[in-house]
Amino acid sequence: MKDLITKLPKAELHLHIEGSLEPELMFSLAQKNTISLPYKTIEEVKQAYNFTSLQSFLDIYYAGANVLINESDFFDLTWAYLLRCHAQNICHTEIFFDPQTHTSRGIAFKTVIDGITKALQKGEQELGISSFLIMCFLRHLSEENAFETLKASLPFKDKIIGVGLDSSEVGHPPSKFQRLFVECKKVGYKIVAHAGEEGDSSYIWEAINLLQVERIDHGIRCDEDESLVKLLIEKQIPLTVCPLSNVKLRAVKNMQEHNILKLLRQGVLVTVNSDDPAYFGGYVNENYEAICDNLDLSKEELKTLASNSFKASFLSDERKKHFINQISQY
Ligand code: ADE
Ligand code: ZN
């Protein structure tokens, strides 16, 4: 299975670029930019990654992002992630970034997006990895702040394929941003949203009905509501599931109890992703390995998951077909 996981071409559809900041790079950027970190050693950083909830992770994740200052920092961060993709046979990636995490510290939108997109271009040219960029709004911040961020994104519209919604879920339902997402749609952005990670199934309903999402990020709490699962199957609305993240943040008790295989067998278009790999102990292949080790997944089901990653992507039908055809030949 491990060999097949490595060899299969895969797409990643749920990756926060700030969540790919490995402790080693965090330390070297902190030193270069003279930012003080609350840790003395890399070992200490790793020990701090002992999360009890989404919020306990977010507090550390936002603190870590403080070391990102210059365009070259965003470039180095993204390039390091792309090298990991290359090593794992990830041929296409759709990357989230959180502009508000940076603009709130006085970093220009342009600095962030130029650094990331220069690395993505190099990744396409030198590694053959295609990519899209998705701008996420932080849902714990105000609607007004999100509207300002949307406005700031407009000069870079050609570099952004869509928008998403992340950060602290409970207490910040999709309805809070309904008006914003209407505007995003007018701009031509594709729409996704985190929903049903810690929030209950009502968050998923709202993301579908009020935000009109094309994909749900996480969505694992859909199985609390049979009619919702039926809708996801009927409309083939993809879920970008992140197994290691779900266990680390205690959205799921342990990997044996993860519902990804159950949803797959019911006909839900589930995909496997890493979310914040530097914090949760693995990139895409480690997420596939974790479910294979703990759930009774067949080789055909593994191939379906890899195919789903392309099917659920924003690639052209032609590119999707190309990869799905490759997978079918294994
Ligand atoms: N930001 C980064 N990772 C996230 C997650 N898993 N949920 C919500 N917001 C996030
Ligand atoms: Zn996420």
Side-chain angles (χ1 to χ4, degrees), residues 14-16 54 57 61 96 136 165-167 194 197 217-218 240 242 245 274-276 280:
H14 185 156
L15 176 279
H16 302 264
L54 173 57
F57 154 69
Y61 160 84
F96 296 133
C136 277
L165 188 63
D166 66 359
S167 194
H194 282 55
E197 178 185 17
D217 298 312
H218 294 294
T240 63
C242 309
S245 163
S274 72
D275 206 6
D276 302 283
F280 301 147

Side-chain angles (χ1 to χ4, degrees), residues 239-280:
L239 303 186
T240 63
V241 179
C242 309
L244 286 173
S245 163
N246 297 148
V247 173
K248 278 274 180 186
L249 302 188
R250 304 194 188 174
V252 172
K253 227 186 267 159
N254 54 56
M255 202 55 83
Q256 290 84 5
E257 287 179 41
H258 204 293
N259 62 4
I260 186 167
L261 184 57
K262 180 181 162 209
L263 293 170
L264 179 71
R265 288 180 180 169
Q266 283 178 295
V268 181
L269 184 49
V270 287
T271 63
V272 176
N273 308 273
S274 72
D275 206 6
D276 302 283
Y279 292 89
F280 301 147

